[in-house]
Amino acid sequence: MSDRTKKLGTYDREFVWHPFTQMKEYEERDPVVIEGGEGSYLIDSEGRRYIDGVSSLWVNIHGHKVPEIDNAIKEQVDKLGHSTLLGVTNPPAAELAKELIDICPPGLKKVFYSGDGASAVEVALKMSFQYWQHKNKPRKTKFVYLENGYHGDTLGAVSVGGIDIFHSAFKPLLFESFQAPSYYCYRCPLGKEYPSCGVACAGEVEKILKEHHEEIAAVILEPYVQAAGGMIVSPPGYLRQVRESCDKYGVLLILDEVATGFGRTGKMFACGHEDVTPDLLVLGKGLTGGYLPLSATITTQDVYDAFLGDYEEFKTFFHGHSYAGNPVSCAAARGNLAAFENYNTLQNVEEKIEYLEDELKEFSGLRHVGDVRNKGLMVGIELVSDKETKEPFPAKMKMGWKVAEQAMENEVLIRPLGNVVVLMPPVGIPMEDLKKLVRVTYDSIKKATEEQ
Ligand code: PMP
């Protein structure tokens, strides 16, 4: 190991507290220092190259060092690094908003910028809450969310989060919401089976709305894939059914596409698979192609109009983040959208999804693979200690991590969610890199699970 890597490791261990990381364990290992990127590869300070198998935590879209994004950023920093969006605008923020509305599901019209996914979720929650206040329905203050749902780590987002191990510690700080069952077919919370269930999990959302719609502002969920919940894939028809229930009972629908947006599921947005338009669409992560923090809460003219009034009525949406609409981030996002056009990303991903789905069939044959699921390039491979009983590996065994460690030895970087091995390569990953990612993952699962 070079002296430089050693020095960086020392500084890191001594001064950095890493997110979602048990630091006791982290401190015992030599840190991997990523300092370069090229296409679907990340390069560490020792020159080792790794396939970025989870898109740098689900953000990267066209790989690293994308000319369209690099140049857009460089050109923008020569003009302006930042200026507020409170009361004034800047060219990339205005142009990007227009471009986003052009690609969004029909009916969405207004873009509210923030910095990260959780902030954009907070905006969606507060906006839908206040919408009903302005509409003279002050009792509509609650939300419906799904078990296994995840919307970020700020307290509003945690209040509508459904992953106990992340969220239960903060319970006393949270506002009350209604929890509906997850659309988790492999471990169906209703004990049913698709398709004979008739997508009964969507029916459960409707039941809550039927009984409580007078106090419910909005339903919030991740369309098609509960990502952090374990890459859980919804049965087809679920989303449309929930949309119809929301319409029937006068409740807004918030779709959180922070993880599923920008081509990950094979369409620009996952709600496009069922031609559903939400009342509020939340975007983040892949918006800038994985370069810079930027998120957006995109809503309808109807929601926007409810906030219009004279100054002294104070109907204003009193919410904003310092870096909202940052011109460099917005320029990066415009570069990302240009790359979608230049590389025909959405057409080209179809062949990759087909290849991936074909390869994934083989994973099911492995002794400890209980379920293999995907929507587009979002993949979850659930490991179990016993396939018959679906008994999970005990947390102490850290089976997901064992697989990731094996993969790392073979120059593939992945990060599991408990016992679920996650693959989420950049949408623009070249076929040969995708093949390597799949092969190494297969071998790593086999080795890690069959060795114990
Ligand atoms: N929503 C979803 C669906 C997510 O997956 C995430 C992050 N993993 C977030 C919101 C929060 O985004 P951020 O980490 O940018 O705050």
Side-chain angles (χ1 to χ4, degrees):
M1 192 192 294
S2 69
D3 287 347
R4 185 162 164 274
T5 303
K6 265 191 219 149
K7 185 179 87 177
L8 291 168
T10 307
Y11 288 176
D12 181 75
R13 259 193 289 254
E14 198 158 344
F15 302 118
V16 181
W17 188 345
H18 289 258
F20 275 98
T21 300
Q22 177 42 260
M23 295 306 292
K24 176 171 168 275
E25 289 182 352
Y26 182 88
E27 282 180 14
E28 287 162 8
R29 280 188 270 122
D30 289 327
V32 177
V33 182
I34 300 294
E35 65 175 355
E38 208 167 42
S40 30
Y41 281 85
L42 291 167
I43 305 157
D44 76 8
S45 52
E46 298 291 290
R48 273 173 60 119
R49 296 164 65 87
Y50 308 85
I51 291 202
D52 190 356
V54 289
S55 298
S56 295
L57 234 290
W58 318 349
V59 298
N60 192 284
I61 301 292
H62 289 100
H64 300 274
K65 290 223 284 221
V66 179
E68 285 82 352
I69 308 177
D70 293 1
N71 294 334
I73 292 173
K74 285 176 194 163
E75 281 169 25
Q76 183 54 41
V77 288
D78 278 342
K79 293 180 195 146
L80 172 70
H82 184 64
S83 148
T84 182
L85 222 60
L86 274 62
V88 287
T89 195
N90 67 68
E95 284 160 333
L96 175 63
K98 157 84 174 71
E99 289 170 6
L100 286 172
I101 293 305
D102 286 346
I103 58 167
C104 270
L108 294 176
K109 189 64 200 302
K110 299 285 175 183
V111 178
F112 190 99
Y113 290 114
S114 310
D116 50 47
S119 309
V121 166
E122 299 291 333
V123 168
L125 297 173
K126 287 174 73 177
M127 229 176 226
S128 46
F129 172 93
Q130 202 173 3
Y131 168 82
W132 291 114
Q133 308 289 310
H134 291 332
K135 287 280 190 185
N136 284 327
K137 299 257 172 121
R139 285 186 58 215
K140 286 170 85 67
T141 59
K142 293 194 174 148
F143 296 89
V144 180
Y145 68 96
L146 302 191
E147 175 194 7
N148 292 322
Y150 177 84
H151 302 288
D153 300 323
T154 51
L155 287 173
V158 172
S159 294
V160 292
I163 303 180
D164 269 356
I165 69 165
F166 299 163
H167 300 145
S168 61
F170 303 105
K171 264 221 165 93
L173 301 177
L174 309 180
F175 56 76
E176 223 182 286
S177 301
F178 295 100
Q179 192 189 72
S182 173
Y183 48 66
Y184 192 2
C185 293
Y186 179 61
R187 299 181 189 276
C188 177
L190 305 172
K192 296 182 189 264
E193 257 184 55
Y194 180 79
S196 60
C197 61
V199 195
C201 45
E204 294 296 309
V205 176
E206 171 139 355
K207 274 190 208 161
I208 296 173
L209 297 186
K210 186 172 178 200
E211 201 173 329
H212 300 285
H213 62 94
E214 284 175 357
E215 40 177 331
I216 293 174
V219 172
I220 179 166
L221 59 88
E222 296 156 273
Y224 258 98
V225 188
Q226 291 193 303
M231 296 296 146
I232 295 164
V233 179
S234 84
Y238 178 88
L239 195 55
R240 174 132 291 283
Q241 234 175 287
V242 171
R243 173 73 270 184
E244 285 165 8
S245 303
C246 287
D247 289 342
K248 187 166 159 192
Y249 290 104
V251 165
L252 299 177
L253 177 62
I254 303 169
L255 292 183
D256 177 352
E257 295 235 22
V258 169
T260 51
F262 298 98
R264 289 272 175 229
T265 67
K267 294 228 181 238
M268 187 55 97
F269 302 113
C271 56
H273 290 285
E274 298 195 11
D275 294 326
V276 161
T277 299
D279 299 286
L280 300 108
L281 175 68
V282 184
L283 303 178
K285 287 191 188 279
L287 175 52
T288 61
Y291 271 63
L292 287 167
L294 181 69
S295 59
T297 310
I298 306 185
T299 192
T300 59
Q301 188 76 43
D302 176 49
V303 169
Y304 175 85
D305 284 348
F307 288 77
L308 300 181
D310 292 328
Y311 177 78
E312 66 279 10
E313 287 180 86
F314 298 122
K315 282 182 149 186
T316 307
F317 187 51
F318 289 110
H319 184 111
H321 298 281
S322 307
Y323 284 102
N326 172 267
V328 183
S329 299
C330 289
R334 294 193 69 216
N336 182 40
L337 295 184
F340 266 97
E341 296 251 320
N342 295 351
Y343 305 124
N344 281 325
T345 311
L346 291 176
Q347 285 94 307
N348 289 335
V349 78
E350 285 174 17
E351 179 198 9
K352 292 170 208 168
I353 294 170
E354 231 171 80
Y355 165 79
L356 183 64
E357 289 183 345
D358 218 36
E359 291 291 309
L360 285 174
K361 287 183 196 132
E362 259 192 61
F363 283 62
S364 310
L366 288 169
R367 183 139 58 93
H368 291 285
V369 169
D371 190 33
V372 184
R373 45 192 183 247
N374 81 296
K375 187 72 186 169
L377 293 184
M378 297 177 81
V379 180
I381 302 157
E382 184 163 339
L383 309 176
V384 288
S385 71
D386 184 328
K387 260 169 125 147
E388 280 300 303
T389 62
K390 302 186 181 176
E391 182 66 27
F393 281 109
K396 206 171 165 28
M397 285 185 76
K398 296 180 66 191
M399 195 46 83
W401 280 108
K402 286 193 178 136
V403 174
E405 278 158 22
Q406 278 295 331
M408 196 162 184
E409 279 181 26
N410 292 292
E411 281 138 5
V412 161
L413 267 188
I414 50 178
R415 187 180 165 91
L417 291 159
N419 283 322
V420 178
V421 176
V422 173
L423 298 183
M424 207 196 285
V427 182
I429 188 171
M431 199 55 136
E432 77 225 52
D433 296 344
L434 182 61
K435 285 183 179 167
K436 177 172 175 188
L437 172 65
V438 170
R439 184 171 37 80
V440 169
T441 306
Y442 181 91
D443 292 344
S444 304
I445 292 176
K446 193 168 161 62
K447 189 142 195 254
T449 57
E450 294 184 9
E451 250 179 17
Q452 44 78 42

